[in-house]
Amino acid sequence: MPTLSTLIGGKGLSPTEATIWINRRKAHVLDVRSEEVFKIGHLPGAKLANPSGLTAAIEKFKLDRKLPVVLVCETGVQSRKLVAEAQKLGFADVGALEGGVQAWKSAELPLVK
């Protein structure tokens, strides 16, 4: 049964689910945190995308809309709010990393600099 937050904001992905999307489904990873925080550490393969310019970032990176997208922020709140926007841009499968980079670190998954 989907939770209310899932119905409002799209698919929430656990760090394990996000890893599966990235490795098996070749999902794009868009990090919507600030550039300074992104440089300290981000998910492998993540691209920095300004949350107020998500459309521009998707065009800039020429993302394949047939592939899924994982949106990432520090706690999962900001990325969750952007799921609907990414869906409107033509991505069928869009997920937000639940708990953001904090959950990723808690799961002891790697970050790159």
Side-chain angles (χ1 to χ4, degrees):
M1 189 85 171
T3 63
L4 182 60
S5 63
T6 301
L7 293 171
I8 293 168
K11 177 128 179 82
L13 301 172
S14 70
T16 302
E17 290 170 316
T19 301
I20 291 168
W21 276 37
I22 295 163
N23 292 335
R24 294 189 188 158
R25 300 183 65 201
K26 308 295 182 221
H28 303 292
V29 180
L30 292 178
D31 192 319
V32 297
R33 299 176 300 152
S34 70
E35 185 174 357
E36 296 78 28
V37 180
F38 180 83
K39 287 179 179 177
I40 293 170
H42 55 271
L43 276 65
K47 293 176 174 35
L48 180 63
N50 183 328
S52 63
L54 190 61
T55 304
I58 288 171
E59 296 304 321
K60 174 184 167 189
F61 298 127
K62 298 180 177 19
L63 302 183
D64 184 346
R65 285 172 168 77
K66 294 180 189 113
L67 296 176
V69 173
V70 177
L71 298 171
V72 180
C73 67
E74 192 62 32
T75 62
V77 174
Q78 187 176 26
S79 56
R80 168 79 67 175
K81 292 176 183 174
L82 295 170
V83 168
E85 185 177 340
Q87 289 170 331
K88 287 178 190 168
L89 293 170
F91 290 93
D93 279 335
V94 182
L97 179 60
E98 284 290 333
V101 173
Q102 290 178 6
W104 187 266
K105 287 192 255 185
S106 293
E108 298 181 4
L109 293 166
L111 292 174
V112 294
K113 295 181 182 185

